[in-house]
Structure formats: C-alpha cells, structure tokens
Amino acid sequence: MRHLYWILGLLVALAVAPAANAAASGDSGAKPAQSATADITPAASGPIAAMCDFLKAQKKFSFTADIVSELVYPNGQTLQISRKATVAIERPNKAYSHVVGDDCDREYFYDGKTVTLVDRDRGVYAVTEAPATIDATTDMLTEKYGLSAPLSDFVAAAPCVAFLHNVRTGDFVGRHMAADKVCDHLAFTQKSADWQVWIEQGKMPLPRKFVLNDKDVPGWPQYAATFSDWNLHPKLPSGLFTFTPVKDMRRIDFLPLATKGQGKPE
C-alpha cells in the first residue's frame, strides 16, 4: 500500500487514504491472492477471503465511512483530520463518492466514460476521459495522474489481490467490536505499512473498520475508517454518477504526473 495524492489542489475524496500497489485482476477464489513468501495464519486467511469473496459478489452497493487521519508536519507535530465519506458503486462501470470534513467538501464521479473531480470549497472541477470499468479507471488515474479512487481496495473486482499483494505476515488478533458489530480483528504487515481490518462475523462478512500506519513517514501516521450504513440493494438516483456543474463553477484541467526531468508534483 502507498499514499496516492490528488493533484490540481482538488484533493478529491480520500486524499490521504492508502491504496494497494497491485491492480486488482483475476479471480480471488476461495483462497486470498498473496505473495509467495507471505506468512498468513489460517485464522486470518479465512476471514479475509470471506470478506473479499462477499464484496466481489456485490453488483451494486453503498456505504458510509467515518475517517480519521493524521498529518505529520516537518517539525514533527501531528494533527488529526476528520472526514465523512459517502460511497456508491454500481459494477462494472459506475462510482461516486462525496467527502465532507474538517478540510474539504469534494466529490468524485465516474459514469463509465469520464471521471470528474469536484472541489466545492473552491468552486472548481476537472474532467478526463476514462476506461470502461472501475478497475481500469483506478489504474489509469494512478498511472497517469497519481490519483486513486476512494477506498479502491474495498471496491476492486478482486479485493484480496489488492490487499494482499505485498503482505508479509497476517494474524488473527481476536473477536472484537467495531461499528457495534462482533468482528474478526486481523492484523497484517508490509514493508512500508502495518494495517488492520475488522470483518463482521456471520453471513455478511463486511468490513467494519480499517486502520493503517504508514511506516514510510516519520511518526508512522495513522489512517482509520469505520464503515456504517452498508446497503447491498440501494435505490440510487439515475443521475448520481454524472456531474452537472452549477452556475459560476469553473472547469480546470487535469495535470498528468511530471515527466522525467521535471521533478515530482508536490
């Protein structure tokens, strides 16, 4: 997993949310896809596979995520930022999110043909052509613009490919509460991150909480999302996935990642 930053100053959706290195592809099957050297205990492997297979089977769904993230400044000071994300998915080619919080009011629209990023605080938006699936669009945004769709690992076609590609170890911590649900609490390590996931027990193994510590940043800042309001049969508005600008909103250009020799975007 790694940090993928929104450019253009939009910082749309979950700007500091980590996303997996690997593109989600193929069938997750009954067993999680993972590194050949990963040491994942059976007690952890079972729940994460159940969650991945359950999420993969959902064609249309929505949820809310309460997000708390830490920002570490050059002087070592750590600040906490809170956000609430509303996410709606209609596979294979529609996605929407709206994030409101301490520092933002931003939206992400994908309608199978274009992606629109909206910063309502600044009254600006940007549009770019997109591939025909959510996964392909996620890859395009990452490779071309350095962006990532919000909580993309959870909505990928094969979630375990995204989650477990770079995992080194995985353990079962215990049966603990998250979002008022009894969950299997799992903990995983990678070279650059440690992360945890709480998966609801029973017939609907939904993710209820996710926590990641970024080991590439001094102080190991934490990102945490608590999931609620899961709806596996939502009645979504017909125009939800297509953005219509209001009066006085200004369109700006997407900027690709800096080419070699131009330096990195800040």
Side-chain angles (χ1 to χ4, degrees):
M1 294 187 177
R2 61 189 175 191
H3 282 284
L4 296 170
Y5 297 96
W6 302 107
I7 49 183
L8 300 174
L10 290 176
L11 298 177
V12 172
L14 309 184
V16 295
N21 282 325
S25 61
D27 191 334
S28 68
K31 189 176 182 179
Q34 62 194 52
S35 167
T37 59
D39 180 14
I40 301 178
T41 66
S45 181
I48 193 78
M51 181 194 75
C52 290
D53 289 343
F54 186 80
L55 290 176
K56 178 182 176 181
Q58 308 309 314
K59 302 305 180 185
K60 182 165 66 172
F61 57 93
S62 63
F63 61 85
T64 299
D66 289 297
I67 300 154
V68 177
S69 57
E70 294 180 340
L71 303 179
V72 180
Y73 285 81
N75 66 356
Q77 183 179 14
T78 300
L79 297 183
Q80 188 179 87
I81 301 296
S82 296
R83 299 181 177 123
K84 180 182 287 290
T86 302
V87 178
I89 299 294
E90 188 172 313
R91 291 188 171 121
N93 60 359
K94 291 179 174 62
Y96 167 81
S97 74
H98 185 193
V99 178
V100 178
D102 295 340
D103 61 343
C104 65
D105 183 355
R106 297 156 191 157
E107 290 178 284
Y108 167 99
F109 298 82
Y110 167 59
D111 62 5
K113 297 180 180 179
T114 62
V115 167
T116 304
L117 307 181
V118 183
D119 187 327
R120 293 196 177 274
D121 288 331
R122 295 175 176 84
V124 298
Y125 66 98
V127 184
T128 187
E129 293 183 357
T133 67
I134 294 171
D135 283 3
T137 297
T138 298
D139 293 343
M140 180 275 292
L141 291 173
T142 300
E143 294 166 6
K144 188 173 181 179
Y145 298 107
L147 312 180
S148 173
L151 295 173
S152 58
D153 292 354
F154 289 98
V155 304
C160 274
V161 175
F163 275 114
L164 302 179
H165 180 70
N166 290 318
V167 160
R168 293 181 169 181
T169 66
D171 294 290
F172 175 79
V173 180
R175 290 180 174 85
H176 299 155
M177 299 294 292
D180 296 323
K181 303 291 184 180
V182 178
C183 298
D184 290 318
H185 179 187
L186 313 180
F188 297 86
T189 64
Q190 298 179 192
K191 179 180 179 181
S192 61
D194 291 342
W195 56 277
Q196 304 166 68
V197 62
W198 286 252
I199 300 170
E200 183 176 346
Q201 291 188 329
K203 296 181 179 179
M204 294 197 300
L206 291 165
R208 289 296 177 178
K209 186 176 178 181
F210 175 78
V211 172
L212 181 141
N213 288 89
D214 187 346
K215 296 192 287 189
D216 284 340
V217 177
W220 289 25
Q222 187 174 93
Y223 169 91
T226 300
F227 299 93
S228 61
D229 301 326
W230 279 99
N231 189 338
L232 305 182
H233 303 284
K235 294 181 179 180
L236 302 175
S238 58
L240 179 63
F241 303 104
T242 301
F243 173 67
T244 301
V246 298
K247 185 180 179 180
D248 297 329
M249 289 204 80
R250 181 168 56 92
R251 179 168 174 170
I252 60 177
D253 294 330
F254 264 91
L255 297 177
L257 287 171
T259 56
K260 190 174 182 179
Q262 291 182 312
K264 297 180 181 180
E266 296 295 325

